[in-house]
Amino acid sequence: MIDLQDRQLVYEFLMLELAIRSLQHDMDNMKHLKFAELYFTQLDGVLKNLQADYHWRRKKLAGKKIRFNKWVKVDKYFTDAILATNGEDAVIRFSTPVLKQNSQLLVEQKMLPIVVEKLENIPN
């Protein structure tokens, strides 16, 4: 069983998991774009930032003996996250469209500081 105070950490970890997977998938499919290198430099910074947050949360969850196992697609509207806890596996059901939306928002939030920093460095 996952404690109430650990649920937020689990949710943040799962959002990072999805955001990283989505971003890596998108980067693999962008290779044919004309300005791919421009996009890769931006997205690589976002990916490194997400991965640092991901590893920090994974360590915190490991200290609480919580480990993510896998995603299981229930149907087109719901997805289950299977987590291993100290005693037994825990299953958390999520709305698939909400997961996609929240992982996209997370990537956008991480991208905004990088874009602002690049704009500040442009000479006038």
Side-chain angles (χ1 to χ4, degrees), residues 84-99:
T85 62
N86 208 7
E88 60 188 46
D89 286 353
V91 178
I92 303 173
R93 182 158 290 175
F94 293 99
S95 166
T96 305
V98 172
L99 283 176

Side-chain angles (χ1 to χ4, degrees), residues 10-20 22 68 70-81 92-107:
V10 168
Y11 180 75
E12 291 169 0
F13 173 80
L14 293 173
M15 286 302 99
L16 286 164
E17 165 83 20
L18 282 177
I20 289 170
S22 296
F68 172 70
K70 62 182 175 179
W71 291 103
V72 177
K73 186 173 182 174
V74 176
D75 57 26
K76 76 179 199 178
Y77 299 108
F78 294 100
T79 304
D80 287 345
I92 303 173
R93 182 158 290 175
F94 293 99
S95 166
T96 305
V98 172
L99 283 176
K100 289 178 182 179
Q101 180 183 20
N102 288 349
S103 65
Q104 180 180 348
L105 288 172
L106 180 60
V107 170

Side-chain angles (χ1 to χ4, degrees), residues 2-3 6 11 22-23 29 33-34 36 42 47 49 59 63 65 68-69 75 83 89-90 108 111 118-119:
I2 298 173
D3 293 336
D6 294 335
Y11 180 75
S22 296
L23 197 54
N29 291 322
L33 295 177
K34 190 173 188 177
Q42 297 289 321
L47 185 60
N49 193 328
K59 277 185 179 180
K65 300 189 183 341
F68 172 70
N69 281 342
D75 57 26
L83 301 159
D89 286 353
E108 289 172 1
M111 186 171 274
K118 295 279 185 185
L119 290 174

Side-chain angles (χ1 to χ4, degrees), residues 28-69:
D28 287 342
N29 291 322
M30 287 177 30
K31 292 177 183 173
H32 67 280
L33 295 177
K34 190 173 188 177
F35 295 105
E37 191 60 38
L38 174 69
Y39 299 122
F40 281 132
T41 56
Q42 297 289 321
L43 294 178
D44 191 48
V46 174
L47 185 60
K48 287 178 182 176
N49 193 328
L50 289 171
Q51 288 172 332
D53 288 350
Y54 174 83
H55 291 297
W56 181 82
R57 282 174 177 74
R58 188 175 72 181
K59 277 185 179 180
K60 295 245 337 166
L61 288 173
K64 297 174 184 280
K65 300 189 183 341
I66 299 172
R67 183 174 43 89
F68 172 70
N69 281 342

Side-chain angles (χ1 to χ4, degrees), residues 105-117:
L105 288 172
L106 180 60
V107 170
E108 289 172 1
Q109 287 172 352
K110 295 293 182 177
M111 186 171 274
L112 186 61
I114 291 172
V115 171
V116 170
E117 177 183 315

